[in-house]
Amino acid sequence: MWYECKIKYRKTDETGLQKMATEPYLVDALSYTEAESRINEEMSAYISEEFKITNIKVANFAEIHPFENCDRWFKSKVSLLAYDEESGKERKTNMYILLQANDVKEAFDNTTTVMKGTMGDYSIPAITESPILDVFPYFSGEEGELEQIEKFNALKASKPEPVAEIEDNMEFEPATEEASV
């Protein structure tokens, strides 16, 4: 399960001035308690001064896809289209995918790459840049942790690995007249 954690700390900007900043990060954890512990551990490596966790919430992402040579995270809304045989109407099921890209066009291309294996029809109604600065996946320790981090960061676009149980993070919207035309 992915948790969005907001961290507040004193940050030095380009001009050398210090100001308070609140930044969101994503961690893979089993509970809120583990998410708090993991974000404390991860951020201690990056922030030398005191920091405060101001919020932890469950993130609404069905899948997370890192792409090589990309520095920003984008949130893609993907609408899966299905025909409801009982009502005879088309039904949309929305899911959100977090993926890396350098711009919106590349985020669209990466979303299309991720969705290549999808059997049904889908549309991509929205892509927005996410404020999330970094993603910290969970590593079991079976392999060397550094090796697993490198694998996560070097995941190729040609081999996306979807997160299981997509339905847990989906929203259902009734089909509109436009969608059934």
Side-chain angles (χ1 to χ4, degrees):
M1 189 176 263
W2 293 95
Y3 291 87
E4 184 178 325
C5 303
K6 290 193 178 179
I7 307 299
K8 187 174 186 173
Y9 67 100
R10 190 172 309 280
K11 182 178 185 177
T12 306
D13 64 12
E14 299 83 33
T15 61
L17 295 173
Q18 286 195 345
K19 62 179 184 177
M20 293 303 285
T22 303
E23 298 174 337
Y25 295 88
L26 208 60
V27 295
D28 188 13
L30 298 172
S31 65
Y32 284 94
T33 305
E34 183 183 2
E36 179 182 18
S37 173
R38 292 216 43 238
I39 196 66
N40 268 318
E41 180 183 327
E42 295 289 352
M43 297 313 296
S44 295
Y46 296 106
I47 302 173
S48 58
E49 296 181 20
E50 255 186 59
F51 62 88
K52 180 180 179 181
I53 300 169
T54 59
N55 190 18
I56 298 175
K57 67 179 182 179
V58 174
N60 188 25
F61 297 114
E63 301 177 12
I64 310 287
H65 292 279
F67 282 83
E68 199 170 86
N69 300 323
C70 299
D71 60 350
R72 299 181 346 212
W73 290 95
F74 288 84
K75 181 179 181 177
S76 291
K77 180 180 180 180
V78 177
S79 295
L80 302 171
L81 305 174
Y83 181 74
D84 186 1
E85 292 180 16
E86 289 181 20
S87 66
K89 293 184 179 180
E90 197 169 63
R91 187 174 191 178
K92 277 200 287 189
T93 304
N94 293 323
M95 70 176 189
Y96 297 93
I97 299 172
L98 185 70
L99 49 82
Q100 279 184 303
N102 293 311
D103 56 36
V104 175
K105 182 187 180 319
E106 187 176 358
F108 178 84
D109 294 341
N110 289 350
T111 302
T112 304
T113 300
V114 166
M115 297 301 293
K116 267 188 180 149
T118 305
M119 298 294 270
D121 292 335
Y122 68 91
S123 65
I124 305 170
I127 295 178
T128 56
E129 186 171 357
S130 172
I132 292 171
L133 294 181
D134 207 353
V135 174
F136 301 107
Y138 179 79
F139 296 111
S140 65
E142 291 175 12
E143 294 182 30
E145 189 163 319
L146 182 59
E147 191 176 312
Q148 285 193 9
I149 291 170
E150 289 171 359
K151 279 184 185 178
F152 180 81
N153 290 333
L155 184 63
K156 300 282 185 195
S158 63
K159 294 186 179 181
E161 295 180 27
V163 175
E165 301 175 7
I166 293 172
E167 291 180 3
D168 290 347
N169 296 312
M170 291 185 176
E171 294 178 9
F172 294 93
E173 291 182 10
T176 62
E177 289 294 321
E178 291 175 10
S180 60
V181 173

